[in-house]
Amino acid sequence: MSTTSAAPQTGSIEPLRELFYAHYRFQYLSAAFQFGLFELLGREPGLNRAQIADRLGIENQPARILLLGCTSAGLLRKEEDRYFNTPVSEPLAGKIDDVPAAFVPWEQHVNYRPMAWFYESLKENTNVGMQREIAGTSDTLYGRLAGDPKLEVTFHNMMGSVSRLVAEELVQQLDLSAYTHLLDIGGGTAVNATYLARRWPNLQVTIVDLPSVAEAANAKIASLGLGDRVRAIGLDAFNDEFPKGCDAVLFGHFLEIWSIERNKDLIAKASRAVEPGAGIFVVTPGADDDETGPDLAAALSAYFQTVASGEGMVYTCAEYEQWFAETGFEPTGRLYVGGLGDVVISGVKR
Ligand SMILES: C[S@@+](CC[C@H](N)C(=O)[O-])C[C@H]1O[C@@H](n2cnc3c(N)ncnc32)[C@H](O)[C@@H]1O
């Protein structure tokens, strides 16, 4: 055994306690959010417990428990017998479809129960959590969401809120002036596509996504008056070839869902669909090249393994560049975007 490395400090169980209590804290947050407590205190700061219990329609003791936990977790501040939101909870008092509020129903209704199957999902190397907790027969969360309109809306609210934040910065930084037609693979409800189309008035965008999502995307595109330049096609990226005729390809928050083998196949399929000189852009959360973090990469990797697909993780930029090189693209650089820790890895078809 090495004697040179520093011995860990013993005696304090606080760091572990933080981890043991994390799931209770999330349930306090989620329950308060579902009751509309943060919104209530945003409108009427300084209510006391009896007033809060009355407004939330719950009895005194449950209200006492809820307020105890929210105060202890730093979500509420108590002054004498009056309660106030804190800087932590204030962002949850307003727009419920934006970051960070859109994450609460997402974590509660989609991920919380499945994530209790993390150990089994690692052991069996598949998404046991999704299989046990989310109804349906599809192998992936996306297929199962198509059969549950409420969960599908919860997913797209969360994803849309993330995409809007990323897209706002992406349009400032990503130079698409050299391209005329972007193929947006797994483009979801057209957030990236519509931002990019507005930024580049000569750009056409073709989204491909699962049929139910493509339908929702086309409705949104029409409502934004962009139907002449942006369209969505329903297809399965694994079973169908990509449409030809585009001179740039975007994989936005898509490749981290899948295995290394499938990603190489998808990038090779994109390579077959375009001519030399075409651009490729992968937008993804980034993992440190030495695989020690960040937290977002760790959390999302657990989610892909246990819930979404049972096969993906947050890969390093170096891996994407390697796959580009193997499938006919020359890597041309990395661009860091968004407060959410996203990176764009770019390349050009040889
Ligand atoms: C994480 S979302 C990303 C959405 C969008 N690109 C963005 O950045 O906001 C992944 C998308 O991949 C789509 N998807 C999943 N499996 C697919 C498949 N087999 N073929 C095409 N799209 C698929 C999902 O419906 C979803 O819209």
Side-chain angles (χ1 to χ4, degrees), residues 79-103:
E79 261 176 45
E80 298 181 346
D81 65 345
R82 291 148 48 90
Y83 290 89
F84 299 86
N85 287 332
T86 66
V88 179
S89 55
E90 261 154 25
L92 302 176
K95 294 183 177 171
I96 57 165
D97 285 344
D98 280 338
V99 172
F103 280 104

mmCIF file of all heavy atoms in Angstrom, residues 79-103:
data_model
loop_
_atom_site.group_PDB
_atom_site.id
_atom_site.type_symbol
_atom_site.label_atom_id
_atom_site.label_comp_id
_atom_site.label_asym_id
_atom_site.label_seq_id
_atom_site.Cartn_x
_atom_site.Cartn_y
_atom_site.Cartn_z
ATOM 1 N N GLU A 79 -38.815 34.003 9.030
ATOM 2 C CA GLU A 79 -38.579 35.165 9.898
ATOM 3 C C GLU A 79 -39.746 35.221 10.860
ATOM 4 O O GLU A 79 -40.878 35.434 10.421
ATOM 5 C CB GLU A 79 -38.577 36.453 9.053
ATOM 6 C CG GLU A 79 -37.205 36.956 8.697
ATOM 7 C CD GLU A 79 -37.294 38.168 7.795
ATOM 8 O OE1 GLU A 79 -38.115 39.066 8.089
ATOM 9 O OE2 GLU A 79 -36.568 38.185 6.792
ATOM 10 N N GLU A 80 -39.459 35.012 12.154
ATOM 11 C CA GLU A 80 -40.511 34.826 13.158
ATOM 12 C C GLU A 80 -41.433 33.723 12.646
ATOM 13 O O GLU A 80 -40.950 32.639 12.394
ATOM 14 C CB GLU A 80 -41.203 36.154 13.453
ATOM 15 C CG GLU A 80 -40.162 37.125 14.037
ATOM 16 C CD GLU A 80 -40.703 38.471 14.408
ATOM 17 O OE1 GLU A 80 -41.824 38.822 14.009
ATOM 18 O OE2 GLU A 80 -39.967 39.176 15.125
ATOM 19 N N ASP A 81 -42.721 33.978 12.404
ATOM 20 C CA ASP A 81 -43.535 32.864 11.901
ATOM 21 C C ASP A 81 -43.872 33.034 10.417
ATOM 22 O O ASP A 81 -44.792 32.409 9.910
ATOM 23 C CB ASP A 81 -44.807 32.714 12.745
ATOM 24 C CG ASP A 81 -45.732 33.923 12.607
ATOM 25 O OD1 ASP A 81 -45.252 34.974 12.088
ATOM 26 O OD2 ASP A 81 -46.903 33.829 12.995
ATOM 27 N N ARG A 82 -43.121 33.861 9.730
ATOM 28 C CA ARG A 82 -43.428 34.150 8.319
ATOM 29 C C ARG A 82 -42.381 33.518 7.379
ATOM 30 O O ARG A 82 -41.203 33.486 7.707
ATOM 31 C CB ARG A 82 -43.457 35.670 8.089
ATOM 32 C CG ARG A 82 -44.655 36.350 8.764
ATOM 33 C CD ARG A 82 -44.348 37.758 9.215
ATOM 34 N NE ARG A 82 -43.696 38.594 8.225
ATOM 35 C CZ ARG A 82 -44.318 39.366 7.338
ATOM 36 N NH1 ARG A 82 -45.631 39.405 7.290
ATOM 37 N NH2 ARG A 82 -43.630 40.110 6.501
ATOM 38 N N TYR A 83 -42.861 33.045 6.216
ATOM 39 C CA TYR A 83 -41.989 32.325 5.275
ATOM 40 C C TYR A 83 -41.777 33.129 3.991
ATOM 41 O O TYR A 83 -42.700 33.796 3.493
ATOM 42 C CB TYR A 83 -42.596 30.964 4.918
ATOM 43 C CG TYR A 83 -42.571 30.002 6.078
ATOM 44 C CD1 TYR A 83 -43.642 29.966 6.983
ATOM 45 C CD2 TYR A 83 -41.484 29.173 6.298
ATOM 46 C CE1 TYR A 83 -43.618 29.103 8.073
ATOM 47 C CE2 TYR A 83 -41.452 28.308 7.384
ATOM 48 C CZ TYR A 83 -42.522 28.275 8.268
ATOM 49 O OH TYR A 83 -42.488 27.430 9.342
ATOM 50 N N PHE A 84 -40.540 32.998 3.448
ATOM 51 C CA PHE A 84 -40.149 33.720 2.226
ATOM 52 C C PHE A 84 -39.351 32.772 1.330
ATOM 53 O O PHE A 84 -38.633 31.900 1.832
ATOM 54 C CB PHE A 84 -39.243 34.918 2.573
ATOM 55 C CG PHE A 84 -39.902 35.927 3.468
ATOM 56 C CD1 PHE A 84 -39.876 35.767 4.859
ATOM 57 C CD2 PHE A 84 -40.570 37.028 2.934
ATOM 58 C CE1 PHE A 84 -40.504 36.687 5.685
ATOM 59 C CE2 PHE A 84 -41.195 37.955 3.768
ATOM 60 C CZ PHE A 84 -41.163 37.781 5.147
ATOM 61 N N ASN A 85 -39.448 32.991 0.012
ATOM 62 C CA ASN A 85 -38.547 32.285 -0.901
ATOM 63 C C ASN A 85 -37.118 32.752 -0.663
ATOM 64 O O ASN A 85 -36.887 33.840 -0.117
ATOM 65 C CB ASN A 85 -38.914 32.579 -2.365
ATOM 66 C CG ASN A 85 -40.188 31.867 -2.788
ATOM 67 O OD1 ASN A 85 -40.522 30.814 -2.250
ATOM 68 N ND2 ASN A 85 -40.884 32.426 -3.767
ATOM 69 N N THR A 86 -36.152 31.934 -1.104
ATOM 70 C CA THR A 86 -34.732 32.307 -1.024
ATOM 71 C C THR A 86 -34.209 32.445 -2.460
ATOM 72 O O THR A 86 -34.903 32.070 -3.420
ATOM 73 C CB THR A 86 -33.928 31.205 -0.318
ATOM 74 O OG1 THR A 86 -33.954 30.043 -1.157
ATOM 75 C CG2 THR A 86 -34.473 30.890 1.058
ATOM 76 N N PRO A 87 -32.981 32.940 -2.621
ATOM 77 C CA PRO A 87 -32.429 33.002 -3.982
ATOM 78 C C PRO A 87 -32.405 31.627 -4.662
ATOM 79 O O PRO A 87 -32.452 31.534 -5.891
ATOM 80 C CB PRO A 87 -31.007 33.536 -3.761
ATOM 81 C CG PRO A 87 -31.104 34.337 -2.497
ATOM 82 C CD PRO A 87 -32.097 33.610 -1.627
ATOM 83 N N VAL A 88 -32.370 30.546 -3.868
ATOM 84 C CA VAL A 88 -32.374 29.197 -4.469
ATOM 85 C C VAL A 88 -33.745 28.887 -5.076
ATOM 86 O O VAL A 88 -33.847 28.337 -6.181
ATOM 87 C CB VAL A 88 -32.008 28.119 -3.417
ATOM 88 C CG1 VAL A 88 -32.023 26.722 -4.025
ATOM 89 C CG2 VAL A 88 -30.650 28.422 -2.789
ATOM 90 N N SER A 89 -34.815 29.226 -4.344
ATOM 91 C CA SER A 89 -36.156 28.837 -4.814
ATOM 92 C C SER A 89 -36.817 29.892 -5.700
ATOM 93 O O SER A 89 -37.777 29.569 -6.421
ATOM 94 C CB SER A 89 -37.063 28.533 -3.623
ATOM 95 O OG SER A 89 -37.097 29.634 -2.736
ATOM 96 N N GLU A 90 -36.307 31.124 -5.657
ATOM 97 C CA GLU A 90 -36.948 32.179 -6.463
ATOM 98 C C GLU A 90 -37.103 31.817 -7.943
ATOM 99 O O GLU A 90 -38.154 32.073 -8.537
ATOM 100 C CB GLU A 90 -36.177 33.495 -6.334
ATOM 101 C CG GLU A 90 -36.835 34.428 -5.322
ATOM 102 C CD GLU A 90 -35.846 35.404 -4.709
ATOM 103 O OE1 GLU A 90 -34.812 35.688 -5.359
ATOM 104 O OE2 GLU A 90 -36.104 35.866 -3.584
ATOM 105 N N PRO A 91 -36.088 31.190 -8.569
ATOM 106 C CA PRO A 91 -36.267 30.839 -9.992
ATOM 107 C C PRO A 91 -37.393 29.833 -10.238
ATOM 108 O O PRO A 91 -37.806 29.640 -11.382
ATOM 109 C CB PRO A 91 -34.915 30.232 -10.393
ATOM 110 C CG PRO A 91 -33.956 30.674 -9.338
ATOM 111 C CD PRO A 91 -34.751 30.868 -8.085
ATOM 112 N N LEU A 92 -37.888 29.190 -9.162
ATOM 113 C CA LEU A 92 -38.974 28.214 -9.332
ATOM 114 C C LEU A 92 -40.344 28.859 -9.117
ATOM 115 O O LEU A 92 -41.364 28.188 -9.164
ATOM 116 C CB LEU A 92 -38.794 27.055 -8.346
ATOM 117 C CG LEU A 92 -37.466 26.300 -8.466
ATOM 118 C CD1 LEU A 92 -37.350 25.240 -7.378
ATOM 119 C CD2 LEU A 92 -37.348 25.642 -9.839
ATOM 120 N N ALA A 93 -40.347 30.176 -8.871
ATOM 121 C CA ALA A 93 -41.611 30.860 -8.571
ATOM 122 C C ALA A 93 -42.268 31.392 -9.835
ATOM 123 O O ALA A 93 -43.429 31.772 -9.809
ATOM 124 C CB ALA A 93 -41.346 32.012 -7.601
ATOM 125 N N GLY A 94 -41.520 31.394 -10.950
ATOM 126 C CA GLY A 94 -42.049 32.056 -12.140
ATOM 127 C C GLY A 94 -42.345 31.103 -13.275
ATOM 128 O O GLY A 94 -43.137 30.168 -13.133
ATOM 129 N N LYS A 95 -41.640 31.310 -14.380
ATOM 130 C CA LYS A 95 -41.940 30.586 -15.619
ATOM 131 C C LYS A 95 -41.695 29.082 -15.478
ATOM 132 O O LYS A 95 -40.540 28.650 -15.404
ATOM 133 C CB LYS A 95 -41.034 31.127 -16.718
ATOM 134 C CG LYS A 95 -41.291 32.563 -17.093
ATOM 135 C CD LYS A 95 -40.355 32.898 -18.226
ATOM 136 C CE LYS A 95 -40.566 34.289 -18.746
ATOM 137 N NZ LYS A 95 -39.491 34.623 -19.705
ATOM 138 N N ILE A 96 -42.769 28.310 -15.476
ATOM 139 C CA ILE A 96 -42.583 26.889 -15.169
ATOM 140 C C ILE A 96 -42.099 26.074 -16.374
ATOM 141 O O ILE A 96 -41.715 24.926 -16.214
ATOM 142 C CB ILE A 96 -43.851 26.260 -14.567
ATOM 143 C CG1 ILE A 96 -45.033 26.438 -15.510
ATOM 144 C CG2 ILE A 96 -44.165 26.831 -13.193
ATOM 145 C CD1 ILE A 96 -46.190 25.543 -15.130
ATOM 146 N N ASP A 97 -42.100 26.660 -17.580
ATOM 147 C CA ASP A 97 -41.628 25.908 -18.746
ATOM 148 C C ASP A 97 -40.180 26.217 -19.097
ATOM 149 O O ASP A 97 -39.664 25.743 -20.110
ATOM 150 C CB ASP A 97 -42.517 26.192 -19.971
ATOM 151 C CG ASP A 97 -43.849 25.470 -19.851
ATOM 152 O OD1 ASP A 97 -43.938 24.551 -19.018
ATOM 153 O OD2 ASP A 97 -44.777 25.837 -20.579
ATOM 154 N N ASP A 98 -39.505 27.037 -18.290
ATOM 155 C CA ASP A 98 -38.118 27.395 -18.583
ATOM 156 C C ASP A 98 -37.168 26.729 -17.597
ATOM 157 O O ASP A 98 -37.583 26.255 -16.540
ATOM 158 C CB ASP A 98 -37.940 28.921 -18.499
ATOM 159 C CG ASP A 98 -38.436 29.607 -19.769
ATOM 160 O OD1 ASP A 98 -38.501 28.938 -20.817
ATOM 161 O OD2 ASP A 98 -38.781 30.798 -19.700
ATOM 162 N N VAL A 99 -35.863 26.711 -17.960
ATOM 163 C CA VAL A 99 -34.829 26.309 -17.005
ATOM 164 C C VAL A 99 -34.876 27.305 -15.841
ATOM 165 O O VAL A 99 -34.984 28.503 -16.094
ATOM 166 C CB VAL A 99 -33.426 26.374 -17.682
ATOM 167 C CG1 VAL A 99 -32.322 26.160 -16.649
ATOM 168 C CG2 VAL A 99 -33.307 25.367 -18.824
ATOM 169 N N PRO A 100 -34.809 26.918 -14.583
ATOM 170 C CA PRO A 100 -34.639 25.547 -14.094
ATOM 171 C C PRO A 100 -35.952 24.842 -13.751
ATOM 172 O O PRO A 100 -35.946 23.644 -13.476
ATOM 173 C CB PRO A 100 -33.822 25.761 -12.821
ATOM 174 C CG PRO A 100 -34.334 27.073 -12.287
ATOM 175 C CD PRO A 100 -34.681 27.913 -13.480
ATOM 176 N N ALA A 101 -37.108 25.576 -13.786
ATOM 177 C CA ALA A 101 -38.352 24.967 -13.297
ATOM 178 C C ALA A 101 -38.742 23.721 -14.102
ATOM 179 O O ALA A 101 -39.244 22.743 -13.528
ATOM 180 C CB ALA A 101 -39.482 25.996 -13.334
ATOM 181 N N ALA A 102 -38.471 23.723 -15.420
ATOM 182 C CA ALA A 102 -38.881 22.587 -16.254
ATOM 183 C C ALA A 102 -38.174 21.292 -15.852
ATOM 184 O O ALA A 102 -38.624 20.196 -16.212
ATOM 185 C CB ALA A 102 -38.608 22.891 -17.725
ATOM 186 N N PHE A 103 -37.070 21.414 -15.085
ATOM 187 C CA PHE A 103 -36.376 20.205 -14.639
ATOM 188 C C PHE A 103 -37.114 19.488 -13.518
ATOM 189 O O PHE A 103 -36.904 18.294 -13.316
ATOM 190 C CB PHE A 103 -34.969 20.548 -14.130
ATOM 191 C CG PHE A 103 -33.972 20.738 -15.229
ATOM 192 C CD1 PHE A 103 -33.553 22.004 -15.605
ATOM 193 C CD2 PHE A 103 -33.465 19.644 -15.910
ATOM 194 C CE1 PHE A 103 -32.641 22.176 -16.625
ATOM 195 C CE2 PHE A 103 -32.546 19.803 -16.933
ATOM 196 C CZ PHE A 103 -32.130 21.080 -17.298
#
